C-alpha cells in the first residue's frame, strides 16, 4: 500500500482540508512536515465545522497525528487549539498525537519581530500573518532556536538564551524596543513545558515503526508550492519549503517514503496578501468567484484575490513537486458562467513564455494569454460521479489536465467529505 503526500499546487487555500480529511479517514498516520500555525484547514464533517491551523487533519477522526521536525511550533497556540477541539468532542491524547522533540519553538519575541518588521516595511510589506513563523525559521537556521526538547532542560538554558538574546536585542534596539525580558520568557516556557512535553518524542522512530508495520502514512503540507521559499513568487512567499520533497526532511523519513504526490488544485485561482497574480480579476466575475467560493482565509480572515485558472503556474508547480495526480476542487464555483477562461501562457515585453519567470519585476509585468471555453448552466454541486457532471464541465476538467500535463485523480464538488469523484485512489500503487 502506498503512502500519500498532499500539497497545495497554487498559493494555498485550494481546499486541502477536505481532501486531507477524506484521505485521513483511510490513513493510519497523518504527518505535518512544514509551516506553522499560519496555515488554515477547514474541515466539514456532518454538521460540525473544525478549523485547524497547526494540528494535522487526522486528529478529528482519531488517526495518529504527528507534528514533524520541519514545523515551527507555537506552544501556546497549540494548547489553545487542542482545548478548542476538545470542547468540540475531539479526543487528543499521547496515543493519537505526537510532536517531534527536535521541533523549533515560536516564541513571543518572534511574533513581536514579525509585527515590527511588517509595520516598518511600507510598500515592501510581504503580507505575513504576523504569527512569528519567519523569525522562528531564521533562528532555526541561525542555530539559536529553542526546541521542544529544550523544555525538559530549562535550568540549563542560559547559553542558548545568550545566543538568542544577542541577536534579538540588537534587532529590537533598531526598532526602539527594550531588550528581551529573559526572566519572563523563561517563566512562560516553564509554565507551558509540561503541556507540550506530554506529546514530545523522537517521531522519526515512531514513524519508522508505523511504516515497518505496512501502515498508510499521509504527509500533509501547508500553504502551496507557489509560496515555497525557493520556488515560489519570492519575496512574497512563506519561510519554509512547501514542495513535496520536504516531507522527507520534515518528518525524519527518507525520500522513498513519500509515495503518491497529490497536488490540490482549485478550479480557478486565489491568493491572499501581496504579490504578483497574473490572472487576477478585479471585476464582477472576480467578485462572483470570491462570493460563491467563500474566499476568506481560515487563519487571517482576509479576503482572497480571485482570478481565472492559470495552467502555466500549476504545470510548473506539478513539475517542481513531482505531482502524481491532482485533486481538482471547487468546480461548482464556476457553475452558471457563460464563458470560462484558462491561462495557457504569458506575454512579457513581446516574448511568449510557457513558464513563470523568477524575478519579481517580470512576474508583475507578465500578461496572461487566455483560452476561452463555453461554461455550463447546470449545477455540479454534490456530484459524485462523471455522470453527474455537465458535458462542458467535463470538457473543462479534461482541458485542465491536458494543459498542466498531470492527470486528475479526484474531483471535489462541495466542502462535504463524500461529495468527491474518485478517478484514481492515491493509496493504491
Amino acid at each position: 500500500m502506498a503512502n500519500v503526500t498532499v500539497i497545495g499546487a497554487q498559493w494555498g487555500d485550494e481546499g486541502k482540508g477536505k481532501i486531507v480529511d477524506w484521505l485521513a479517514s483511510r490513513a493510519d498516520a497523518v504527518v505535518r512536515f512544514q509551516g506553522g500555525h499560519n496555515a488554515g484547514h477547514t474541515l466539514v464533517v456532518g454538521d460540525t465545522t473544525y478549523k485547524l491551523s497547526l494540528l494535522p487533519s487526522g486528529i478529528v477522526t482519531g488517526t495518529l497525528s504527528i507534528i514533524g521536525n520541519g514545523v515551527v511550533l507555537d506552544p501556546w497556540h497549540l494548547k489553545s487549539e487542542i482545548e478548542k477541539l476538545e470542547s468540540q468532542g475531539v479526543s487528543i491524547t499521547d496515543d493519537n498525537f505526537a510532536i517531534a522533540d527536535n521541533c523549533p519553538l515560536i516564541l513571543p519575541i518572534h511574533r513581536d519581530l514579525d509585527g515590527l518588521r511588517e509595520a516598518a516595511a511600507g510598500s515592501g510589506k510581504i503580507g505575513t500573518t504576523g504569527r512569528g513563523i519567519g523569525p522562528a525559521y531564521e533562528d532555526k537556521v541561525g542555530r539559536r532556536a529553542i526546541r521542544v526538547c529544550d523544555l525538559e532542560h530549562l535550568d540549563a538554558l542560559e547559553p542558548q538564551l545568550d545566543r538568542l538574546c544577542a541577536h534579538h536585542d540588537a534587532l529590537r534596539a533598531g526598532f526602539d524596543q527594550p531588550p528581551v525580558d529573559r526572566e519572563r520568557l523563561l517563566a512562560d516556557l516553564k509554565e507551558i513545558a509540561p503541556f507540550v512535553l506530554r506529546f514530545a518524542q523522537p517521531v522519526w522512530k515512531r514513524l519508522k515503526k508505523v511504516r515497518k508495520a505496512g501502515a498508510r502514512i499521509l504527509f500533509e503540507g501547508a500553504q502551496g508550492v507557489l509560496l515555497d521559499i525557493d520556488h515560489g513568487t519570492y519575496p512574497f512567499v512563506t519561510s519554509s519549503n512547501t514542495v513535496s520533497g520536504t516531507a522527507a526532511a520534515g518528518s525524519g523519513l527518507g525520500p522513498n517514503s513519500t509515495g503518491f504526490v497529490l497536488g490540490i488544485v482549485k478550479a480557478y485561482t486565489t491568493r491572499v496578501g501581496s504579490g504578483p497574480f497574473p490572472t487576477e480579476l478585479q471585476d464582477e466575475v472576480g467578485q462572483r468567484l470570491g462570493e460563491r467560493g467563500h474566499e476568506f482565509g481560515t487563519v487571517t480572515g482576509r479576503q482572497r484575490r480571485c482570478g481565472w485558472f492559470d495552467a502555466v503556474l500549476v504545470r510548473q508547480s506539478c513539475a517542481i513537486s513531482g505531482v502524481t495526480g491532482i485533486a481538482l476542487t471547487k468546480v461548482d464555483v464556476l457553475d452558471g458562467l457563460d464563458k470560462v477562461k484558462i491561462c495557457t501562457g504569458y506575454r512579457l515585453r513581446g516574448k511568449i513564455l510557457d513558464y513563470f519567470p523568477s524575478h519579481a519585476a517580470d512576474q508583475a509585468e507578465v500578461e496572461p494569454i487566455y483560452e476561452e471555453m463555453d461554461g455550463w448552466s447546470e449545477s455540479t454541486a454534490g456530484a459524485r460521479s462523471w455522470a453527474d457532471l455537465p458535458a462542458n464541465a467535463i470538457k473543462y476538467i479534461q482541458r485542465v489536465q491536458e494543459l498542466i500535463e498531470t492527470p486528475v485523480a479526484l474531483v471535489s464538488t462541495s466542502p462535504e467529505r463524500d461529495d468527491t469523484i474518485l478517478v484514481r485512489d492515491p493509496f493504491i500503487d
Side-chain angles (χ1 to χ4, degrees):
M1 289 182 289
N3 297 330
V4 177
T5 300
V6 176
I7 57 160
Q10 292 158 306
W11 277 295
D13 307 311
E14 302 95 347
K16 289 190 298 296
K18 172 202 165 162
I19 303 298
V20 170
D21 173 51
W22 183 79
L23 290 167
S25 65
R26 302 165 61 235
D28 300 293
V30 183
V31 185
R32 269 285 304 273
F33 58 85
Q34 51 77 217
H37 62 305
N38 55 338
H41 287 169
T42 300
L43 311 182
V44 180
V45 183
D47 296 328
T48 307
T49 298
Y50 303 95
K51 291 187 180 292
L52 310 178
S53 56
L54 181 60
L55 293 170
S57 299
I59 201 69
V60 170
T61 54
T63 307
L64 172 61
S65 297
I66 289 175
I67 291 179
N69 57 276
V71 173
V72 283
L73 180 85
D74 183 322
W76 298 277
H77 177 86
L78 173 73
K79 186 171 187 289
S80 172
E81 192 167 316
I82 287 177
E83 289 172 347
K84 175 70 188 303
L85 285 179
E86 286 178 335
S87 73
Q88 292 183 279
V90 177
S91 175
I92 301 173
T93 69
D94 54 5
D95 285 328
N96 66 4
F97 179 56
I99 302 169
D101 58 1
N102 55 342
C103 191
L105 298 179
I106 299 175
L107 305 172
I109 56 175
H110 295 133
R111 294 196 301 270
D112 292 346
L113 183 58
D114 211 351
L116 289 166
R117 282 175 171 167
E118 279 289 276
S123 60
K125 280 184 171 61
I126 301 297
T128 76
T129 58
R131 297 190 166 199
I133 280 79
Y137 273 116
E138 290 174 38
D139 280 351
K140 172 185 176 178
V141 176
R143 295 165 292 182
R144 53 183 170 265
I146 295 173
R147 303 188 298 170
V148 169
C149 55
D150 293 318
L151 295 175
E152 207 162 15
H153 302 275
L154 290 175
D155 290 337
L157 199 64
E158 288 302 320
Q160 284 168 266
L161 284 176
D162 287 343
R163 287 198 301 275
L164 186 71
C165 293
H167 177 76
H168 280 269
D169 286 349
L171 291 173
R172 292 170 69 91
F175 288 107
D176 199 26
Q177 296 294 309
V180 174
D181 187 337
R182 291 171 62 137
E183 290 186 10
R184 171 69 184 274
L185 176 58
L186 201 52
D188 288 344
L189 290 171
K190 285 180 178 177
E191 184 180 6
I192 198 69
F195 182 88
V196 177
L197 288 172
R198 56 189 273 228
F199 303 112
Q201 59 185 270
V203 299
W204 66 268
K205 189 175 180 182
R206 188 163 184 180
L207 284 170
K208 181 183 177 183
K209 184 177 179 181
V210 168
R211 194 178 179 214
K212 194 173 182 179
R216 293 170 165 176
I217 301 173
L218 177 64
F219 297 93
E220 176 185 5
Q223 290 93 32
V225 173
L226 297 174
L227 292 175
D228 184 275
I229 188 67
D230 288 306
H231 301 289
T233 49
Y234 193 91
F236 302 99
V237 292
T238 194
S239 301
S240 59
N241 286 110
T242 61
V243 294
S244 61
T246 313
S251 65
L253 286 177
N256 63 342
S257 65
T258 51
F260 188 108
V261 179
L262 183 66
I264 314 300
V265 178
K266 197 176 287 186
Y268 49 103
T269 311
T270 62
R271 177 165 201 172
V272 171
S274 306
F277 185 171
T279 65
E280 182 173 9
L281 295 171
Q282 295 176 321
D283 58 13
E284 59 184 25
V285 176
Q287 186 175 348
R288 173 182 170 141
L289 293 175
E291 290 172 355
R292 292 204 61 185
H294 306 289
E295 297 297 351
F296 295 90
T298 301
V299 170
T300 63
R302 289 182 291 182
Q303 187 170 355
R304 297 175 188 139
R305 300 151 64 192
C306 298
W308 294 118
F309 185 83
D310 192 329
V312 182
L313 286 176
V314 176
R315 183 171 62 239
Q316 192 161 318
S317 292
C318 288
I320 288 167
S321 242
V323 172
T324 315
I326 68 162
L328 192 65
T329 67
K330 292 198 168 186
V331 175
D332 54 301
V333 175
L334 300 178
D335 292 354
L337 291 171
D338 292 333
K339 299 287 183 181
V340 289
K341 294 182 181 182
I342 300 175
C343 174
T344 60
Y346 305 124
R347 287 189 184 87
L348 178 63
R349 296 187 289 274
K351 291 178 63 177
I352 304 297
L353 301 181
D354 62 355
Y355 66 96
F356 200 51
S358 297
H359 197 277
D362 292 338
Q363 292 174 352
E365 199 174 331
V366 295
E367 298 176 16
I369 299 169
Y370 286 117
E371 179 178 303
E372 188 173 83
M373 301 178 68
D374 290 331
W376 53 93
S377 56
E378 309 95 319
S379 174
T380 63
R384 298 185 182 182
S385 73
W386 287 115
D388 297 332
L389 292 175
N392 283 347
I394 295 174
K395 289 178 183 176
Y396 181 80
I397 294 167
Q398 290 174 334
R399 187 58 178 146
V400 163
Q401 66 179 355
E402 287 171 7
L403 288 168
I404 66 173
E405 300 172 1
T406 308
V408 171
L410 300 166
V411 179
S412 170
T413 56
S414 93
E416 293 292 337
R417 181 191 290 173
D418 294 331
D419 290 341
T420 303
I421 300 170
L422 180 62
V423 182
R424 180 181 177 187
D425 190 335
F427 272 125
I428 298 176
D429 281 320

